[in-house]
Amino acid sequence: MTEIGPVRIGILGAARIAPMALIRPARANPEVVVAAVAARDPLRARAFATKHGIEAVHDSYDELLAADDIDAVYNPLPNGLHGRWTRAALAAGKHVLCEKPFTANAAEAREIAELAASSDRVVMEAFHYRYHPLTERAEQIIASGELGELVRVETALCFPLPKFSDIRYDYSLAGGALMDAGCYAVHMARVFGGETPEVVSAQAKLRDPRVDRAMTAELRFPSGHTGRVRCSLWSRDLVNIGAHIIGDRGRMRVLNPIATQLFSRLSVRLEQTSRVERFPRRTTYSYQLDAFAAAVLRGEAVPTGPRDSIENMSVIDAIYRAAGLPLREPS
């Protein structure tokens, strides 16, 4: 179902990521208006709205979802709450841009996918890197056969988060390194590997008996190539963001596809030649918002819809099982 723009978006929660992921990109996008915000603390919501020029403040998430002048919601709540409030947004007839990871586990992702399929609403997981020309170009190179047959795909997203009171370490909110950082590494492995892999083995470094601060997993793809995903919020591997794709005729490195506005590049090394390709500094979030608006207003397809989310959460669940850790649960 297509609609007449602009898309009026309400934010669930005064989250730190919202200015970068939505508010600033929306200012340069005539098809989107950030029209409202709600937070558990109304005073915080009002301060957030004043700072960012948001016209409406609602005293609760339910009140925002009930607003007739809101077309869509951005859901950047803690991981364990993603499913609950995406479900509520669909029930209220809103389109949803949901932060990753999509849900707490694959079973919840399937529930949300069924609800989305029975509606005419757009539901999109916010894997913003997927919409940037850097990622699109990497996919083109792999599909062209320039690297030959795929042999191995290695992906990583590691960064330091030494504040152990952060909600990303909270099991009750579906926290853990694999959920927060590793969901990107898993997704990149699936995109660049071209298939959803089987998990062969996994090893976790623990923050507590249920929560991983780092994770490494070995993968095997249906076509025969292998892979590895690495992620951490606190380990010796402080910063590592990217992918290494190895074929039988060459290899490619994708450096920092997540924060391209800072620095990124793609390098290809073949038997006789090598080259480096660079890309626009326009943020991944801006391309993502373009795609979300196009899906809502013109019915254009998106590659990070609920069915893709089921595949990603299924691999995450399998990694937790292989590492001997419990699956995350909805909050």
Side-chain angles (χ1 to χ4, degrees):
M1 177 179 178
T2 57
E3 300 181 4
I4 299 173
V7 182
R8 293 177 59 83
I9 301 179
I11 304 174
L12 299 179
R16 290 190 299 268
I17 194 174
M20 180 188 301
L22 177 65
I23 294 170
R24 289 198 286 271
R27 289 175 184 151
N29 191 322
E31 295 190 322
V32 174
V33 173
V34 179
V37 63
R40 289 179 301 171
D41 180 352
L43 291 178
R44 185 181 177 201
R46 290 186 178 90
F48 187 89
T50 299
K51 180 177 180 179
H52 298 291
I54 299 172
E55 62 187 62
V57 178
H58 294 280
D59 290 336
S60 69
Y61 303 150
D62 286 317
E63 183 181 290
L64 185 150
L65 294 179
D68 292 335
D69 62 345
I70 297 298
D71 305 306
V73 297
Y74 172 56
N75 181 354
L77 296 169
N79 300 340
L81 297 173
H82 285 174
R84 179 197 301 184
W85 288 103
T86 294
R87 189 181 294 112
L90 285 170
K94 311 303 185 188
H95 304 280
V96 183
L97 175 61
C98 181
E99 269 303 331
K100 52 76 204 165
F102 188 61
T103 50
N105 54 48
E108 190 179 30
R110 291 187 189 96
E111 294 174 12
I112 300 300
E114 289 175 5
L115 291 174
S118 66
S119 76
D120 61 357
R121 302 291 89 179
V122 172
V123 179
M124 177 173 155
E125 187 174 6
F127 277 117
H128 48 98
Y129 88 96
R130 185 70 175 79
Y131 297 91
H132 195 275
L134 172 62
T135 299
E136 293 178 2
R137 177 61 177 145
E139 288 184 278
Q140 290 171 359
I141 291 169
I142 295 167
S144 74
E146 183 179 7
L147 304 179
E149 294 293 323
L150 286 182
V151 174
R152 188 164 174 82
V153 176
E154 299 178 347
T155 61
L157 202 157
C158 305
F159 64 90
L161 183 64
K163 183 183 178 182
F164 296 124
S165 60
D166 191 283
I167 62 171
R168 284 170 280 188
Y169 289 108
D170 189 336
Y171 180 81
S172 69
L173 293 173
L178 180 60
M179 292 290 283
D180 190 73
C183 65
Y184 279 109
V186 168
H187 200 269
M188 286 191 288
R190 291 177 49 243
V191 169
F192 299 137
E195 300 168 326
T196 294
E198 171 192 354
V199 177
V200 176
S201 63
Q203 296 81 38
K205 295 180 180 179
L206 299 180
R207 168 57 189 159
D208 67 40
R210 296 183 297 177
V211 176
D212 49 311
R213 59 181 174 84
M215 184 77 76
T216 301
E218 288 294 324
L219 311 174
R220 180 168 51 241
F221 292 84
S223 295
H225 49 291
T226 63
R228 181 180 67 192
V229 297
R230 298 174 65 190
C231 63
S232 77
L233 300 178
W234 188 246
S235 72
R236 287 182 295 179
D237 198 359
L238 287 180
V239 178
N240 185 358
I241 304 173
H244 186 198
I245 298 95
I246 303 166
D248 60 9
R249 289 193 289 160
R251 57 185 61 204
M252 173 172 63
R253 290 190 180 273
V254 183
L255 178 62
N256 192 19
I258 307 301
T260 55
Q261 72 276 15
L262 300 177
F263 177 77
S264 65
R265 70 179 185 182
L266 183 156
S267 59
V268 176
R269 182 176 295 276
L270 305 175
E271 192 172 296
Q272 301 293 334
T273 64
S274 63
R275 69 179 187 274
V276 173
E277 299 184 18
R278 302 185 188 279
F279 297 85
R281 290 291 184 94
R282 186 173 188 248
T283 70
T284 51
Y285 294 111
S286 296
Y287 289 100
Q288 174 178 262
L289 192 57
D290 290 349
F292 184 66
V296 171
L297 297 175
R298 294 180 289 282
E300 295 184 16
V302 296
T304 61
R307 292 295 165 187
D308 181 71
S309 299
I310 293 172
E311 295 293 309
N312 218 59
M313 294 309 306
S314 295
V315 177
I316 289 171
D317 284 1
I319 292 173
Y320 274 127
R321 290 190 186 101
L325 293 178
L327 303 189
R328 313 297 94 164
E329 297 294 338
S331 302

